[in-house]
Amino acid sequence: MSQVEQQQTAEQVILSRHSVRQYQRDVVIPDAELNEILELAASAPSSWNLQHWRFLVIREQANKDRLLPIAFGQQQVSDASAVVVVLGDLQANLTAPIVFEKATPEVRDTMLGQINGAYANNPTVGRDEAIRNASLAAMQLMLAARAKGYDTVPMGGYNPAALIQEFNIPERYIPVMLLPIGKAASPARATERLPLSDVVINESF
């Protein structure tokens, strides 16, 4: 495939992704295909390469139905093939020794010093980085799913406290969003986008 063809394919994936809220029930995503989507999502960039995301994957129908009241009755969590609960790691700094295990001692010590200093000196770093970097992985997950022919919808409309309690999510992780994945039961409605003149500021306000 030529570079031009690759670029066109990437653009097609991006532009064809729309939020789908109605899914074909009982569509099963093969394990291998779902794992490929998750692996692509996990290749997203992250601060200090700490990979702040965790994916709680819910596929069993009974468990998807447990999400219904938590998501205020939004049917897509029950009908989609899977729901990925995207979590952010509030203590991602604890994974730094593993991430930099193969680095030279000089690089390892420098990076660990930077990371631990940032987390220790600023109480908002853990939460900010967890949400920011998990969101990068979530966007990549949606594009990976679309590239393989599946639809998604990012959901912020749910009760985080109830989700944490119902699915025994440890305190270390913060729910960032729900991501149903499946096959659309009806075409998604394309939404309007603001013109670049409204969203791009050159150099300074």
Side-chain angles (χ1 to χ4, degrees):
M1 183 181 294
S2 70
Q3 185 174 358
V4 172
E5 289 173 328
Q6 289 177 338
Q7 181 177 351
Q8 289 174 341
T9 300
E11 290 177 357
Q12 290 167 357
V13 169
I14 292 169
L15 294 176
S16 67
R17 188 218 60 80
H18 300 292
S19 293
V20 168
R21 293 174 175 80
Q22 293 181 314
Y23 289 86
Q24 299 177 36
R25 198 170 175 89
D26 300 326
V27 172
V28 176
I29 302 176
D31 291 349
E33 202 163 20
L34 182 57
N35 284 337
E36 288 175 2
I37 292 171
L38 294 171
E39 285 180 0
L40 289 169
S43 71
S46 60
S47 300
W48 298 295
N49 193 32
L50 293 182
Q51 303 161 58
H52 306 66
W53 46 79
R54 298 294 183 271
F55 304 129
L56 171 58
V57 181
I58 300 174
R59 304 176 73 183
E60 295 291 337
Q61 190 60 53
N63 290 330
K64 289 187 292 181
D65 289 341
R66 287 165 65 195
L67 278 173
L68 260 179
I70 294 171
F72 310 122
Q74 297 180 83
Q75 190 63 33
Q76 61 261 37
V77 300
S78 176
D79 292 346
S81 302
V83 178
V84 178
V85 181
V86 180
L87 304 170
D89 186 357
L90 296 169
Q91 299 176 336
N93 57 310
L94 299 181
T95 67
I98 299 172
V99 171
F100 295 100
E101 182 179 10
K102 296 181 180 180
T104 64
E106 293 79 9
V107 170
R108 183 175 184 275
D109 291 346
T110 297
M111 296 307 298
L112 292 183
Q114 288 181 6
I115 294 165
N116 291 327
Y119 274 76
N121 296 327
N122 189 336
T124 68
V125 163
R127 180 183 176 86
D128 291 347
E129 293 296 339
I131 295 173
R132 179 176 12 257
N133 293 285
S135 295
L136 292 174
M139 186 71 252
Q140 196 142 307
L141 192 156
M142 287 186 279
L143 293 176
R146 181 84 289 271
K148 293 186 176 296
Y150 295 100
D151 298 290
T152 58
V153 57
M155 295 176 59
Y158 61 92
N159 184 328
L163 176 67
I164 290 169
Q165 181 176 2
E166 186 69 23
F167 289 90
N168 301 312
I169 297 172
E171 291 184 359
R172 175 171 173 170
Y173 304 110
I174 180 174
V176 175
M177 68 183 75
L178 305 181
L179 274 181
I181 305 175
K183 294 282 189 177
S186 59
R189 180 178 62 86
T191 54
E192 296 296 327
R193 287 293 181 265
L194 295 170
L196 285 184
S197 58
D198 285 358
V199 299
V200 175
I201 298 92
N202 290 306
E203 310 299 345
S204 178
F205 278 93

